Short mmCIF file of all heavy atoms in Angstrom, two decimals:
data_model
loop_
_atom_site.label_atom_id
_atom_site.label_comp_id
_atom_site.label_asym_id
_atom_site.label_seq_id
_atom_site.Cartn_x
_atom_site.Cartn_y
_atom_site.Cartn_z
N PRO A 76 18.37 8.44 5.93
CA PRO A 76 18.94 7.63 4.76
C PRO A 76 19.89 6.60 5.26
O PRO A 76 20.65 6.82 6.21
CB PRO A 76 19.72 8.67 3.93
CG PRO A 76 19.22 10.00 4.32
CD PRO A 76 18.73 9.86 5.70
N GLY A 77 19.82 5.41 4.65
CA GLY A 77 20.79 4.36 4.96
C GLY A 77 20.48 3.47 6.13
O GLY A 77 21.21 2.51 6.50
N GLY A 79 18.08 1.38 6.32
CA GLY A 79 17.65 0.07 5.87
C GLY A 79 16.16 -0.04 5.59
O GLY A 79 15.53 -1.08 5.52
N LYS A 80 15.56 1.13 5.25
CA LYS A 80 14.12 1.21 4.96
C LYS A 80 13.76 0.32 3.76
O LYS A 80 12.82 -0.45 3.84
CB LYS A 80 13.64 2.67 4.72
CG LYS A 80 13.80 3.55 5.88
CD LYS A 80 13.40 4.99 5.60
CE LYS A 80 14.32 5.63 4.64
NZ LYS A 80 15.72 5.74 5.02
N SER A 81 14.56 0.50 2.65
CA SER A 81 14.15 -0.23 1.45
C SER A 81 14.38 -1.77 1.67
O SER A 81 13.57 -2.58 1.19
CB SER A 81 15.07 0.20 0.28
OG SER A 81 14.80 1.54 0.05
N THR A 82 15.40 -2.12 2.34
CA THR A 82 15.64 -3.53 2.69
C THR A 82 14.46 -4.11 3.48
O THR A 82 14.01 -5.18 3.17
CB THR A 82 16.94 -3.69 3.46
OG1 THR A 82 17.94 -2.94 2.78
CG2 THR A 82 17.40 -5.12 3.55
N ALA A 102 8.22 4.93 -3.42
CA ALA A 102 9.45 5.50 -2.78
C ALA A 102 9.52 6.97 -3.15
O ALA A 102 9.63 7.29 -4.35
CB ALA A 102 10.70 4.72 -3.19
N LEU A 114 17.21 7.18 -7.02
CA LEU A 114 17.76 5.94 -6.54
C LEU A 114 17.15 5.35 -5.24
O LEU A 114 17.35 4.22 -4.88
CB LEU A 114 19.24 6.13 -6.22
CG LEU A 114 20.15 6.31 -7.42
CD1 LEU A 114 21.56 6.64 -7.00
CD2 LEU A 114 20.14 5.07 -8.30
N LEU A 115 16.34 6.13 -4.63
CA LEU A 115 15.79 5.78 -3.32
C LEU A 115 15.15 4.38 -3.30
O LEU A 115 15.44 3.55 -2.39
CB LEU A 115 14.77 6.82 -2.85
CG LEU A 115 14.20 6.67 -1.46
CD1 LEU A 115 15.26 6.98 -0.45
CD2 LEU A 115 13.00 7.45 -1.26
N GLY A 116 14.40 4.12 -4.33
CA GLY A 116 13.65 2.83 -4.31
C GLY A 116 14.38 1.71 -5.01
O GLY A 116 13.87 0.61 -5.16
N ASP A 117 15.66 1.91 -5.42
CA ASP A 117 16.32 0.97 -6.19
C ASP A 117 16.51 -0.39 -5.48
O ASP A 117 16.32 -1.44 -6.11
CB ASP A 117 17.73 1.42 -6.61
CG ASP A 117 17.65 2.21 -7.88
OD1 ASP A 117 16.51 2.59 -8.28
OD2 ASP A 117 18.66 2.54 -8.46
N ARG A 118 16.73 -0.30 -4.29
CA ARG A 118 16.98 -1.62 -3.48
C ARG A 118 15.65 -2.38 -3.54
O ARG A 118 15.71 -3.63 -3.64
CB ARG A 118 17.30 -1.27 -2.01
CG ARG A 118 17.75 -2.51 -1.27
CD ARG A 118 18.52 -2.07 -0.04
NE ARG A 118 19.65 -1.25 -0.28
CZ ARG A 118 20.81 -1.79 -0.72
NH1 ARG A 118 21.01 -3.02 -0.80
NH2 ARG A 118 21.82 -0.94 -0.94
N VAL A 119 14.54 -1.68 -3.51
CA VAL A 119 13.31 -2.46 -3.62
C VAL A 119 12.98 -2.83 -5.00
O VAL A 119 12.60 -4.01 -5.34
CB VAL A 119 12.09 -1.65 -3.05
CG1 VAL A 119 10.85 -2.42 -3.18
CG2 VAL A 119 12.33 -1.21 -1.64
N GLU A 166 7.70 4.71 1.16
CA GLU A 166 9.06 4.89 1.75
C GLU A 166 9.54 6.30 1.49
O GLU A 166 9.50 6.82 0.39
CB GLU A 166 10.02 3.93 1.12
CG GLU A 166 11.45 4.07 1.71
CD GLU A 166 12.53 3.39 1.02
OE1 GLU A 166 12.24 2.38 0.34
OE2 GLU A 166 13.70 3.79 1.11
N VAL A 168 12.36 9.59 2.92
CA VAL A 168 13.55 9.88 3.77
C VAL A 168 13.03 10.78 4.86
O VAL A 168 12.33 11.75 4.68
CB VAL A 168 14.61 10.72 2.93
CG1 VAL A 168 15.72 11.17 3.81
CG2 VAL A 168 15.15 9.76 1.85
MG1 MG B 427 15.66 3.40 0.48
#
Side-chain angles (χ1 to χ4, degrees):
K80 295 178 294 299
S81 298
T82 312
L114 288 177
L115 186 73
D117 274 10
R118 191 163 300 280
V119 181
E166 181 190 335
V168 174

